[in-house]
Amino acid sequence: EAGVTQSPTHLIKTRGQQATLRCSPISGHTSVYWYQQALGLGLQFLLWYDEGEERNRGNFPPRFSGRQFPNYSSELNVNALELEDSALYLCASSLGRVQPQHFGDGTRLSIL
Amino acid sequence: QKEVEQNSGPLSVPEGAIASLNCTYSDRGSQSFFWYRQYSGKSPELIMFIYSNGDKEDGRFTAQLNKASQYVSLLIRDSQPSDSATYLCAVSNTGGFKTIFGAGTRLFVKA
């Protein structure tokens, strides 16, 4: 069974640009979660999508947004990139909201 | 008070010993509890999950949950150098609308 897949693996942008990160969940999983992990820091919850709807978001500005497609894949968009957005962005999927989350390998976003 | 608290460590144990990792949480209505292992530069890997009070064993790992004390722990028996990693405690809040991760405990297993 394929795990959670994320693309791209690495992404280099400059300040002010926009970034799009993609995630495909484990087959059968309807919930997708996005987290930010800055270097040496813990996971910060960004967004949760389930059945195509945004169910919850963390304490991040509106320039962090996303969506979930009918096939349950998801993308995270970050507009007006800032230097402090440099981090590992992790996507996870689960069968439901209290079920274990399984993580992809992440996208490392670097802002120059 | 942080929602999920872990001792940052590092926790150092000799090979073959029992490593005990602890986590406390603030939301008394929390329903689901998870332990993840994260190697440096890698993504978190699910090790254990527990929903009910008591112990749950899987191989060398035992998760312990005490909802009255708002405390969850992970025991690693016969620790190996390959167990050296950061261990993340995660808790789903009341209603399960958010899973909150602790900052993690770094474990070193000395050969």
Side-chain angles (χ1 to χ4, degrees):
Chain A
E1 179 185 82
V4 177
T5 58
Q6 291 187 245
S7 63
T9 303
H10 294 93
L11 191 56
I12 299 174
K13 295 284 185 178
T14 57
R15 287 179 60 191
Q17 285 188 313
Q18 183 256 352
T20 298
L21 288 64
R22 296 180 175 82
C23 173
S24 292
I26 292 171
S27 178
H29 287 193
T30 60
S31 281
V32 171
Y33 307 81
W34 287 96
Y35 294 89
Q36 181 195 67
Q37 188 174 36
L39 191 62
L41 299 181
L43 273 71
Q44 300 300 315
F45 169 71
L46 268 165
L47 290 159
W48 168 36
Y49 292 95
D50 183 61
E51 297 284 358
E53 300 286 332
E54 181 180 303
R55 302 297 184 182
N56 200 5
R57 65 178 292 130
N59 295 324
F60 281 84
R63 57 190 187 84
F64 287 85
S65 65
R67 54 180 171 166
Q68 186 178 35
F69 300 99
N71 66 352
Y72 303 115
S73 66
S74 175
E75 67 180 29
L76 173 69
N77 294 295
V78 188
N79 294 320
L81 287 165
E82 300 178 1
L83 293 177
E84 53 265 36
D85 296 334
S86 293
L88 179 66
Y89 289 83
L90 291 162
C91 173
S93 73
S94 75
L95 287 169
R97 63 185 182 189
V98 294
Q99 300 298 316
Q101 296 176 25
H102 300 268
F103 285 84
D105 290 336
T107 293
R108 188 162 297 281
L109 176 62
S110 299
I111 313 302
L112 304 180
Chain B
Q1 182 189 13
K2 291 183 180 177
E3 293 176 283
V4 177
E5 290 205 64
Q6 296 181 254
N7 188 324
S8 62
L11 173 65
S12 184
V13 300
E15 184 175 359
I18 296 175
S20 178
L21 304 162
N22 304 315
C23 173
T24 59
Y25 59 94
S26 61
D27 184 348
R28 189 168 285 277
S30 296
Q31 300 176 275
S32 309
F33 308 85
F34 311 94
W35 282 100
Y36 289 84
R37 176 175 62 198
Q38 187 174 26
Y39 293 111
S40 180
K42 301 295 186 181
S43 63
E45 173 192 9
L46 179 70
I47 299 175
M48 296 280 294
F49 59 92
I50 186 167
Y51 300 134
S52 304
N53 275 330
D55 294 0
K56 179 181 179 182
E57 187 174 318
D58 184 1
R60 297 188 295 114
F61 299 99
T62 299
Q64 299 175 316
L65 175 61
N66 183 326
K67 289 187 177 181
S69 299
Q70 295 175 242
Y71 174 96
V72 57
S73 65
L74 178 70
L75 301 178
I76 307 174
R77 290 181 299 282
D78 188 25
S79 295
Q80 302 297 309
S82 58
D83 294 326
S84 298
T86 297
Y87 289 80
L88 304 173
C89 170
V91 178
S92 290
N93 66 347
T94 302
F97 291 102
K98 187 164 66 171
T99 299
I100 301 143
F101 282 77
T105 297
R106 292 187 68 188
L107 172 67
F108 289 107
V109 180
K110 298 174 293 185

